[in-house]
């Protein structure tokens, strides 16, 4: 019992240390955004600003690039994840439950695309999109993602493999088409897994920096992450860290809200995957 108690104490201490290391920078970012410039360099450091100031958020709201960046990021993230989640779910359903010739070979070819690093296709993609006039538009960030996400297709296909084929066969006997079977029977069963993958994809699309940096040149077309990087380059020299941290907090809020809303589905997805695995 003593050894068990000591091990529990050690586990709690290690987890607490990890929590502090992970949450500490986040809390410091929020704290810095509520200070003035002098308060950032005050010794000893103040975790709770005294007084709390919202001047950085006020100055941030006066920047036109912030609102255009938020608008562009919302357009890209929602259009890609909403439409792409639907197409990925349909593709996973097709690979898992439909009878198609050579579907396993097609699925392996699809998975092989995961082995190709993005820098290897970055230049050919840019040349292709440049020739059709998509550079400096949001289309290169939106259109490819609407055809689905390979990681989501793989995850949902594995999840669907645990659902009996008899459900699809019974629906077929009752006269239901494949689309009706998917909407009324399959999608409600995989909704927790879809929600979990949706959140991960939304976070990736919202935080994407490299692709917008490559394709977007005009300030009014840039996404929020590129806008924050430009603010960092412009205001870090002036040691205006409260403004930079305020922009980072604004960028973090949507992802945090999405996670809070769908956290139940994530937990259900992990629990069901564990039981079925």
């Amino acid at each position: 019992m003593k050894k068990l108690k000591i091990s529990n104490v050690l586990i709690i201490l290690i987890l607490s240390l990890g929590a502090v290391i992970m949450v500490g920078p986040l809390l410091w970012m929020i704290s810095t955004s509520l200070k003035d410039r002098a308060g950032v360099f005050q010794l000893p450091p103040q975790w709770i600003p005294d007084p709390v100031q919202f001047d950085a958020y006020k100055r941030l709201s006066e920047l036109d690039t912030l609102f255009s960046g938020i608008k562009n990021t919302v357009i890209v993230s929602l259009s890609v994840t909403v439409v792409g989640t639907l197409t990925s779910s349909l593709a996973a359903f097709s690979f898992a439950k439909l009878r198609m010739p050579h579907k396993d070979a097609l699925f392996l070819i699809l998975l092989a695309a995961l082995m190709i690093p993005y820098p290897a296709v970055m230049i050919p993609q840019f040349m292709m999109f440049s020739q059709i006039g998509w550079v400096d538009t949001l289309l290169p960030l939106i259109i490819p993602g609407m055809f689905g996400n390979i990681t989501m297709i793989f995850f949902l296909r594995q999840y669907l493999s645990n659902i009996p084929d008899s459900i699809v066969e019974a629906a077929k006997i009752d006269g239901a088409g494949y689309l009706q079977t998917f909407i009324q029977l399959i999608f409600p069963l995989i909704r927790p897994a879809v929600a979990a993958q949706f959140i991960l994809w939304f976070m990736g699309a919202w935080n994407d920096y490299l692709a917008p940096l490559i394709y977007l040149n005009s300030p009014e077309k840039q996404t929020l992450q590129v806008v924050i990087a430009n603010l960092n380059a412009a205001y870090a020299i002036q040691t205006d860290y409260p403004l930079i941290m305020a922009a980072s907090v604004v960028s973090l809020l949507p992802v945090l809200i999405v996670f809070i809303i769908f956290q139940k589905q994530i937990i259900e997805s992990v629990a069901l995957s564990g039981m079925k695995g």
Side-chain angles (χ1 to χ4, degrees), residues 130-160:
S130 176
Q131 291 176 357
I132 60 179
W134 283 10
V135 174
D136 203 23
T137 68
L138 299 179
L139 294 177
L141 309 178
I142 295 176
I143 300 301
M146 285 186 171
F147 291 96
N149 182 289
I150 300 176
T151 304
M152 178 180 279
I153 294 173
F154 171 75
F155 181 84
L156 295 180
R157 191 245 188 193
Q158 300 305 111
Y159 195 92
L160 279 166

PDB file of all heavy atoms in Angstrom, residues 130-160:
ATOM      1  N   SER A 130      -1.077  28.968 -60.120  1.00  0.00           N
ATOM      2  CA  SER A 130      -0.698  30.226 -60.748  1.00  0.00           C
ATOM      3  C   SER A 130      -1.159  30.286 -62.199  1.00  0.00           C
ATOM      4  O   SER A 130      -1.603  31.331 -62.688  1.00  0.00           O
ATOM      5  CB  SER A 130       0.821  30.410 -60.666  1.00  0.00           C
ATOM      6  OG  SER A 130       1.226  31.578 -61.337  1.00  0.00           O
ATOM      7  N   GLN A 131      -1.073  29.161 -62.906  1.00  0.00           N
ATOM      8  CA  GLN A 131      -1.478  29.125 -64.319  1.00  0.00           C
ATOM      9  C   GLN A 131      -2.975  29.310 -64.505  1.00  0.00           C
ATOM     10  O   GLN A 131      -3.423  29.813 -65.534  1.00  0.00           O
ATOM     11  CB  GLN A 131      -1.025  27.807 -64.943  1.00  0.00           C
ATOM     12  CG  GLN A 131       0.489  27.692 -65.099  1.00  0.00           C
ATOM     13  CD  GLN A 131       0.915  26.340 -65.629  1.00  0.00           C
ATOM     14  OE1 GLN A 131       0.083  25.454 -65.840  1.00  0.00           O
ATOM     15  NE2 GLN A 131       2.205  26.169 -65.851  1.00  0.00           N
ATOM     16  N   ILE A 132      -3.777  28.919 -63.521  1.00  0.00           N
ATOM     17  CA  ILE A 132      -5.227  29.089 -63.650  1.00  0.00           C
ATOM     18  C   ILE A 132      -5.712  30.348 -62.929  1.00  0.00           C
ATOM     19  O   ILE A 132      -6.917  30.576 -62.822  1.00  0.00           O
ATOM     20  CB  ILE A 132      -5.979  27.845 -63.111  1.00  0.00           C
ATOM     21  CG1 ILE A 132      -5.662  27.623 -61.625  1.00  0.00           C
ATOM     22  CG2 ILE A 132      -5.647  26.629 -63.918  1.00  0.00           C
ATOM     23  CD1 ILE A 132      -6.399  26.427 -61.034  1.00  0.00           C
ATOM     24  N   GLY A 133      -4.768  31.172 -62.439  1.00  0.00           N
ATOM     25  CA  GLY A 133      -5.121  32.467 -61.875  1.00  0.00           C
ATOM     26  C   GLY A 133      -5.692  32.439 -60.471  1.00  0.00           C
ATOM     27  O   GLY A 133      -6.473  33.321 -60.094  1.00  0.00           O
ATOM     28  N   TRP A 134      -5.314  31.440 -59.679  1.00  0.00           N
ATOM     29  CA  TRP A 134      -5.848  31.336 -58.321  1.00  0.00           C
ATOM     30  C   TRP A 134      -4.930  31.947 -57.271  1.00  0.00           C
ATOM     31  O   TRP A 134      -5.307  31.991 -56.094  1.00  0.00           O
ATOM     32  CB  TRP A 134      -6.099  29.871 -57.965  1.00  0.00           C
ATOM     33  CG  TRP A 134      -7.349  29.338 -58.593  1.00  0.00           C
ATOM     34  CD1 TRP A 134      -8.122  29.933 -59.539  1.00  0.00           C
ATOM     35  CD2 TRP A 134      -7.964  28.076 -58.309  1.00  0.00           C
ATOM     36  NE1 TRP A 134      -9.184  29.144 -59.879  1.00  0.00           N
ATOM     37  CE2 TRP A 134      -9.117  27.989 -59.142  1.00  0.00           C
ATOM     38  CE3 TRP A 134      -7.669  27.015 -57.457  1.00  0.00           C
ATOM     39  CZ2 TRP A 134      -9.955  26.879 -59.124  1.00  0.00           C
ATOM     40  CZ3 TRP A 134      -8.504  25.913 -57.444  1.00  0.00           C
ATOM     41  CH2 TRP A 134      -9.630  25.855 -58.266  1.00  0.00           C
ATOM     42  N   VAL A 135      -3.732  32.379 -57.646  1.00  0.00           N
ATOM     43  CA  VAL A 135      -2.823  32.975 -56.682  1.00  0.00           C
ATOM     44  C   VAL A 135      -3.392  34.309 -56.200  1.00  0.00           C
ATOM     45  O   VAL A 135      -3.977  35.066 -56.978  1.00  0.00           O
ATOM     46  CB  VAL A 135      -1.416  33.161 -57.290  1.00  0.00           C
ATOM     47  CG1 VAL A 135      -0.491  33.910 -56.336  1.00  0.00           C
ATOM     48  CG2 VAL A 135      -0.821  31.813 -57.641  1.00  0.00           C
ATOM     49  N   ASP A 136      -3.204  34.595 -54.933  1.00  0.00           N
ATOM     50  CA  ASP A 136      -3.751  35.783 -54.261  1.00  0.00           C
ATOM     51  C   ASP A 136      -5.274  35.731 -54.174  1.00  0.00           C
ATOM     52  O   ASP A 136      -5.944  36.763 -54.157  1.00  0.00           O
ATOM     53  CB  ASP A 136      -3.300  37.076 -54.949  1.00  0.00           C
ATOM     54  CG  ASP A 136      -3.347  38.278 -54.006  1.00  0.00           C
ATOM     55  OD1 ASP A 136      -3.299  38.076 -52.783  1.00  0.00           O
ATOM     56  OD2 ASP A 136      -3.457  39.410 -54.494  1.00  0.00           O
ATOM     57  N   THR A 137      -5.811  34.518 -54.133  1.00  0.00           N
ATOM     58  CA  THR A 137      -7.226  34.303 -53.845  1.00  0.00           C
ATOM     59  C   THR A 137      -7.317  33.202 -52.783  1.00  0.00           C
ATOM     60  O   THR A 137      -6.332  32.505 -52.492  1.00  0.00           O
ATOM     61  CB  THR A 137      -8.024  33.888 -55.090  1.00  0.00           C
ATOM     62  OG1 THR A 137      -7.622  32.570 -55.498  1.00  0.00           O
ATOM     63  CG2 THR A 137      -7.808  34.860 -56.229  1.00  0.00           C
ATOM     64  N   LEU A 138      -8.499  33.027 -52.215  1.00  0.00           N
ATOM     65  CA  LEU A 138      -8.703  31.996 -51.204  1.00  0.00           C
ATOM     66  C   LEU A 138      -8.967  30.617 -51.797  1.00  0.00           C
ATOM     67  O   LEU A 138      -9.031  29.627 -51.067  1.00  0.00           O
ATOM     68  CB  LEU A 138      -9.873  32.384 -50.290  1.00  0.00           C
ATOM     69  CG  LEU A 138      -9.725  33.681 -49.497  1.00  0.00           C
ATOM     70  CD1 LEU A 138     -10.972  33.937 -48.666  1.00  0.00           C
ATOM     71  CD2 LEU A 138      -8.490  33.649 -48.609  1.00  0.00           C
ATOM     72  N   LEU A 139      -9.109  30.545 -53.115  1.00  0.00           N
ATOM     73  CA  LEU A 139      -9.469  29.277 -53.762  1.00  0.00           C
ATOM     74  C   LEU A 139      -8.446  28.161 -53.546  1.00  0.00           C
ATOM     75  O   LEU A 139      -8.847  27.008 -53.309  1.00  0.00           O
ATOM     76  CB  LEU A 139      -9.698  29.503 -55.259  1.00  0.00           C
ATOM     77  CG  LEU A 139     -10.896  30.390 -55.620  1.00  0.00           C
ATOM     78  CD1 LEU A 139     -10.982  30.601 -57.123  1.00  0.00           C
ATOM     79  CD2 LEU A 139     -12.183  29.764 -55.096  1.00  0.00           C
ATOM     80  N   PRO A 140      -7.120  28.404 -53.602  1.00  0.00           N
ATOM     81  CA  PRO A 140      -6.183  27.296 -53.351  1.00  0.00           C
ATOM     82  C   PRO A 140      -6.283  26.732 -51.941  1.00  0.00           C
ATOM     83  O   PRO A 140      -5.887  25.591 -51.709  1.00  0.00           O
ATOM     84  CB  PRO A 140      -4.808  27.947 -53.579  1.00  0.00           C
ATOM     85  CG  PRO A 140      -5.067  29.120 -54.432  1.00  0.00           C
ATOM     86  CD  PRO A 140      -6.408  29.627 -54.020  1.00  0.00           C
ATOM     87  N   LEU A 141      -6.794  27.525 -51.006  1.00  0.00           N
ATOM     88  CA  LEU A 141      -6.936  27.059 -49.631  1.00  0.00           C
ATOM     89  C   LEU A 141      -8.259  26.338 -49.404  1.00  0.00           C
ATOM     90  O   LEU A 141      -8.402  25.606 -48.425  1.00  0.00           O
ATOM     91  CB  LEU A 141      -6.837  28.245 -48.662  1.00  0.00           C
ATOM     92  CG  LEU A 141      -5.625  29.175 -48.825  1.00  0.00           C
ATOM     93  CD1 LEU A 141      -5.702  30.312 -47.826  1.00  0.00           C
ATOM     94  CD2 LEU A 141      -4.331  28.394 -48.660  1.00  0.00           C
ATOM     95  N   ILE A 142      -9.237  26.560 -50.289  1.00  0.00           N
ATOM     96  CA  ILE A 142     -10.582  26.037 -50.081  1.00  0.00           C
ATOM     97  C   ILE A 142     -10.868  24.817 -50.950  1.00  0.00           C
ATOM     98  O   ILE A 142     -11.287  23.761 -50.447  1.00  0.00           O
ATOM     99  CB  ILE A 142     -11.632  27.139 -50.356  1.00  0.00           C
ATOM    100  CG1 ILE A 142     -11.487  28.274 -49.338  1.00  0.00           C
ATOM    101  CG2 ILE A 142     -13.039  26.562 -50.305  1.00  0.00           C
ATOM    102  CD1 ILE A 142     -12.416  29.443 -49.600  1.00  0.00           C
ATOM    103  N   ILE A 143     -10.658  24.936 -52.254  1.00  0.00           N
ATOM    104  CA  ILE A 143     -11.103  23.910 -53.197  1.00  0.00           C
ATOM    105  C   ILE A 143     -10.479  22.534 -52.923  1.00  0.00           C
ATOM    106  O   ILE A 143     -11.207  21.528 -52.869  1.00  0.00           O
ATOM    107  CB  ILE A 143     -10.830  24.352 -54.647  1.00  0.00           C
ATOM    108  CG1 ILE A 143     -11.576  25.660 -54.944  1.00  0.00           C
ATOM    109  CG2 ILE A 143     -11.256  23.260 -55.622  1.00  0.00           C
ATOM    110  CD1 ILE A 143     -13.077  25.579 -54.764  1.00  0.00           C
ATOM    111  N   PRO A 144      -9.154  22.403 -52.737  1.00  0.00           N
ATOM    112  CA  PRO A 144      -8.611  21.054 -52.495  1.00  0.00           C
ATOM    113  C   PRO A 144      -9.197  20.386 -51.253  1.00  0.00           C
ATOM    114  O   PRO A 144      -9.463  19.183 -51.258  1.00  0.00           O
ATOM    115  CB  PRO A 144      -7.105  21.313 -52.337  1.00  0.00           C
ATOM    116  CG  PRO A 144      -6.858  22.580 -53.075  1.00  0.00           C
ATOM    117  CD  PRO A 144      -8.076  23.419 -52.848  1.00  0.00           C
ATOM    118  N   GLY A 145      -9.421  21.152 -50.193  1.00  0.00           N
ATOM    119  CA  GLY A 145      -9.942  20.562 -48.973  1.00  0.00           C
ATOM    120  C   GLY A 145     -11.376  20.103 -49.077  1.00  0.00           C
ATOM    121  O   GLY A 145     -11.818  19.243 -48.303  1.00  0.00           O
ATOM    122  N   MET A 146     -12.129  20.661 -50.014  1.00  0.00           N
ATOM    123  CA  MET A 146     -13.531  20.265 -50.161  1.00  0.00           C
ATOM    124  C   MET A 146     -13.687  18.835 -50.665  1.00  0.00           C
ATOM    125  O   MET A 146     -14.759  18.251 -50.545  1.00  0.00           O
ATOM    126  CB  MET A 146     -14.248  21.225 -51.118  1.00  0.00           C
ATOM    127  CG  MET A 146     -14.552  22.576 -50.524  1.00  0.00           C
ATOM    128  SD  MET A 146     -15.533  23.593 -51.646  1.00  0.00           S
ATOM    129  CE  MET A 146     -15.948  24.968 -50.571  1.00  0.00           C
ATOM    130  N   PHE A 147     -12.627  18.272 -51.245  1.00  0.00           N
ATOM    131  CA  PHE A 147     -12.703  16.906 -51.738  1.00  0.00           C
ATOM    132  C   PHE A 147     -12.377  15.878 -50.659  1.00  0.00           C
ATOM    133  O   PHE A 147     -12.376  14.680 -50.938  1.00  0.00           O
ATOM    134  CB  PHE A 147     -11.755  16.727 -52.928  1.00  0.00           C
ATOM    135  CG  PHE A 147     -12.193  17.474 -54.150  1.00  0.00           C
ATOM    136  CD1 PHE A 147     -11.680  18.739 -54.429  1.00  0.00           C
ATOM    137  CD2 PHE A 147     -13.126  16.934 -55.018  1.00  0.00           C
ATOM    138  CE1 PHE A 147     -12.085  19.440 -55.552  1.00  0.00           C
ATOM    139  CE2 PHE A 147     -13.541  17.625 -56.145  1.00  0.00           C
ATOM    140  CZ  PHE A 147     -13.025  18.886 -56.410  1.00  0.00           C
ATOM    141  N   GLY A 148     -12.108  16.338 -49.446  1.00  0.00           N
ATOM    142  CA  GLY A 148     -11.922  15.409 -48.341  1.00  0.00           C
ATOM    143  C   GLY A 148     -10.529  15.471 -47.746  1.00  0.00           C
ATOM    144  O   GLY A 148      -9.605  16.066 -48.309  1.00  0.00           O
ATOM    145  N   ASN A 149     -10.408  14.837 -46.588  1.00  0.00           N
ATOM    146  CA  ASN A 149      -9.157  14.767 -45.846  1.00  0.00           C
ATOM    147  C   ASN A 149      -8.769  13.303 -45.701  1.00  0.00           C
ATOM    148  O   ASN A 149      -9.567  12.486 -45.218  1.00  0.00           O
ATOM    149  CB  ASN A 149      -9.339  15.422 -44.468  1.00  0.00           C
ATOM    150  CG  ASN A 149      -8.059  15.440 -43.658  1.00  0.00           C
ATOM    151  OD1 ASN A 149      -7.611  14.406 -43.191  1.00  0.00           O
ATOM    152  ND2 ASN A 149      -7.494  16.612 -43.478  1.00  0.00           N
ATOM    153  N   ILE A 150      -7.571  12.956 -46.135  1.00  0.00           N
ATOM    154  CA  ILE A 150      -7.159  11.554 -46.144  1.00  0.00           C
ATOM    155  C   ILE A 150      -7.123  10.984 -44.734  1.00  0.00           C
ATOM    156  O   ILE A 150      -7.550   9.853 -44.490  1.00  0.00           O
ATOM    157  CB  ILE A 150      -5.782  11.410 -46.824  1.00  0.00           C
ATOM    158  CG1 ILE A 150      -5.842  11.922 -48.268  1.00  0.00           C
ATOM    159  CG2 ILE A 150      -5.326   9.958 -46.806  1.00  0.00           C
ATOM    160  CD1 ILE A 150      -4.510  11.907 -48.974  1.00  0.00           C
ATOM    161  N   THR A 151      -6.641  11.753 -43.783  1.00  0.00           N
ATOM    162  CA  THR A 151      -6.584  11.279 -42.405  1.00  0.00           C
ATOM    163  C   THR A 151      -7.984  10.990 -41.867  1.00  0.00           C
ATOM    164  O   THR A 151      -8.214   9.977 -41.193  1.00  0.00           O
ATOM    165  CB  THR A 151      -5.880  12.301 -41.519  1.00  0.00           C
ATOM    166  OG1 THR A 151      -4.574  12.576 -42.044  1.00  0.00           O
ATOM    167  CG2 THR A 151      -5.739  11.792 -40.092  1.00  0.00           C
ATOM    168  N   MET A 152      -8.938  11.883 -42.162  1.00  0.00           N
ATOM    169  CA  MET A 152     -10.312  11.664 -41.716  1.00  0.00           C
ATOM    170  C   MET A 152     -10.922  10.446 -42.397  1.00  0.00           C
ATOM    171  O   MET A 152     -11.635   9.655 -41.753  1.00  0.00           O
ATOM    172  CB  MET A 152     -11.162  12.902 -41.992  1.00  0.00           C
ATOM    173  CG  MET A 152     -12.619  12.738 -41.612  1.00  0.00           C
ATOM    174  SD  MET A 152     -13.637  14.201 -41.921  1.00  0.00           S
ATOM    175  CE  MET A 152     -13.248  15.164 -40.482  1.00  0.00           C
ATOM    176  N   ILE A 153     -10.670  10.273 -43.686  1.00  0.00           N
ATOM    177  CA  ILE A 153     -11.195   9.111 -44.400  1.00  0.00           C
ATOM    178  C   ILE A 153     -10.667   7.818 -43.778  1.00  0.00           C
ATOM    179  O   ILE A 153     -11.422   6.862 -43.552  1.00  0.00           O
ATOM    180  CB  ILE A 153     -10.823   9.184 -45.889  1.00  0.00           C
ATOM    181  CG1 ILE A 153     -11.531  10.372 -46.563  1.00  0.00           C
ATOM    182  CG2 ILE A 153     -11.187   7.885 -46.607  1.00  0.00           C
ATOM    183  CD1 ILE A 153     -11.091  10.626 -47.983  1.00  0.00           C
ATOM    184  N   PHE A 154      -9.387   7.780 -43.484  1.00  0.00           N
ATOM    185  CA  PHE A 154      -8.787   6.588 -42.871  1.00  0.00           C
ATOM    186  C   PHE A 154      -9.400   6.316 -41.493  1.00  0.00           C
ATOM    187  O   PHE A 154      -9.779   5.186 -41.176  1.00  0.00           O
ATOM    188  CB  PHE A 154      -7.274   6.767 -42.760  1.00  0.00           C
ATOM    189  CG  PHE A 154      -6.597   5.693 -41.965  1.00  0.00           C
ATOM    190  CD1 PHE A 154      -6.414   4.429 -42.512  1.00  0.00           C
ATOM    191  CD2 PHE A 154      -6.148   5.935 -40.685  1.00  0.00           C
ATOM    192  CE1 PHE A 154      -5.797   3.431 -41.787  1.00  0.00           C
ATOM    193  CE2 PHE A 154      -5.526   4.940 -39.944  1.00  0.00           C
ATOM    194  CZ  PHE A 154      -5.355   3.687 -40.500  1.00  0.00           C
ATOM    195  N   PHE A 155      -9.514   7.360 -40.673  1.00  0.00           N
ATOM    196  CA  PHE A 155     -10.049   7.187 -39.318  1.00  0.00           C
ATOM    197  C   PHE A 155     -11.497   6.706 -39.365  1.00  0.00           C
ATOM    198  O   PHE A 155     -11.878   5.762 -38.658  1.00  0.00           O
ATOM    199  CB  PHE A 155      -9.952   8.509 -38.559  1.00  0.00           C
ATOM    200  CG  PHE A 155     -10.455   8.452 -37.146  1.00  0.00           C
ATOM    201  CD1 PHE A 155      -9.643   8.012 -36.122  1.00  0.00           C
ATOM    202  CD2 PHE A 155     -11.749   8.835 -36.841  1.00  0.00           C
ATOM    203  CE1 PHE A 155     -10.104   7.951 -34.823  1.00  0.00           C
ATOM    204  CE2 PHE A 155     -12.228   8.788 -35.547  1.00  0.00           C
ATOM    205  CZ  PHE A 155     -11.401   8.338 -34.530  1.00  0.00           C
ATOM    206  N   LEU A 156     -12.324   7.339 -40.196  1.00  0.00           N
ATOM    207  CA  LEU A 156     -13.735   6.965 -40.266  1.00  0.00           C
ATOM    208  C   LEU A 156     -13.927   5.586 -40.894  1.00  0.00           C
ATOM    209  O   LEU A 156     -14.836   4.839 -40.514  1.00  0.00           O
ATOM    210  CB  LEU A 156     -14.521   8.013 -41.059  1.00  0.00           C
ATOM    211  CG  LEU A 156     -14.596   9.401 -40.431  1.00  0.00           C
ATOM    212  CD1 LEU A 156     -15.397  10.341 -41.317  1.00  0.00           C
ATOM    213  CD2 LEU A 156     -15.210   9.336 -39.042  1.00  0.00           C
ATOM    214  N   ARG A 157     -13.071   5.246 -41.839  1.00  0.00           N
ATOM    215  CA  ARG A 157     -13.169   3.909 -42.446  1.00  0.00           C
ATOM    216  C   ARG A 157     -12.875   2.836 -41.412  1.00  0.00           C
ATOM    217  O   ARG A 157     -13.564   1.803 -41.361  1.00  0.00           O
ATOM    218  CB  ARG A 157     -12.201   3.822 -43.620  1.00  0.00           C
ATOM    219  CG  ARG A 157     -12.391   2.589 -44.478  1.00  0.00           C
ATOM    220  CD  ARG A 157     -11.179   1.720 -44.392  1.00  0.00           C
ATOM    221  NE  ARG A 157     -11.212   0.621 -45.339  1.00  0.00           N
ATOM    222  CZ  ARG A 157     -10.391  -0.413 -45.280  1.00  0.00           C
ATOM    223  NH1 ARG A 157      -9.469  -0.486 -44.330  1.00  0.00           N
ATOM    224  NH2 ARG A 157     -10.472  -1.395 -46.148  1.00  0.00           N
ATOM    225  N   GLN A 158     -11.863   3.049 -40.565  1.00  0.00           N
ATOM    226  CA  GLN A 158     -11.572   2.092 -39.504  1.00  0.00           C
ATOM    227  C   GLN A 158     -12.701   2.052 -38.483  1.00  0.00           C
ATOM    228  O   GLN A 158     -13.019   0.998 -37.944  1.00  0.00           O
ATOM    229  CB  GLN A 158     -10.251   2.455 -38.824  1.00  0.00           C
ATOM    230  CG  GLN A 158      -9.050   2.453 -39.748  1.00  0.00           C
ATOM    231  CD  GLN A 158      -8.886   1.127 -40.467  1.00  0.00           C
ATOM    232  OE1 GLN A 158      -9.065   1.031 -41.675  1.00  0.00           O
ATOM    233  NE2 GLN A 158      -8.565   0.093 -39.713  1.00  0.00           N
ATOM    234  N   TYR A 159     -13.293   3.205 -38.206  1.00  0.00           N
ATOM    235  CA  TYR A 159     -14.409   3.268 -37.272  1.00  0.00           C
ATOM    236  C   TYR A 159     -15.621   2.524 -37.823  1.00  0.00           C
ATOM    237  O   TYR A 159     -16.318   1.807 -37.104  1.00  0.00           O
ATOM    238  CB  TYR A 159     -14.754   4.732 -37.006  1.00  0.00           C
ATOM    239  CG  TYR A 159     -15.635   4.973 -35.804  1.00  0.00           C
ATOM    240  CD1 TYR A 159     -15.072   5.227 -34.552  1.00  0.00           C
ATOM    241  CD2 TYR A 159     -17.014   4.971 -35.915  1.00  0.00           C
ATOM    242  CE1 TYR A 159     -15.863   5.468 -33.447  1.00  0.00           C
ATOM    243  CE2 TYR A 159     -17.812   5.199 -34.810  1.00  0.00           C
ATOM    244  CZ  TYR A 159     -17.239   5.450 -33.582  1.00  0.00           C
ATOM    245  OH  TYR A 159     -18.025   5.679 -32.489  1.00  0.00           O
ATOM    246  N   LEU A 160     -15.867   2.676 -39.121  1.00  0.00           N
ATOM    247  CA  LEU A 160     -17.009   2.013 -39.749  1.00  0.00           C
ATOM    248  C   LEU A 160     -16.827   0.501 -39.854  1.00  0.00           C
ATOM    249  O   LEU A 160     -17.817  -0.231 -39.964  1.00  0.00           O
ATOM    250  CB  LEU A 160     -17.227   2.592 -41.151  1.00  0.00           C
ATOM    251  CG  LEU A 160     -17.979   3.914 -41.224  1.00  0.00           C
ATOM    252  CD1 LEU A 160     -17.825   4.542 -42.597  1.00  0.00           C
ATOM    253  CD2 LEU A 160     -19.450   3.706 -40.901  1.00  0.00           C
TER     254      LEU A 160
END
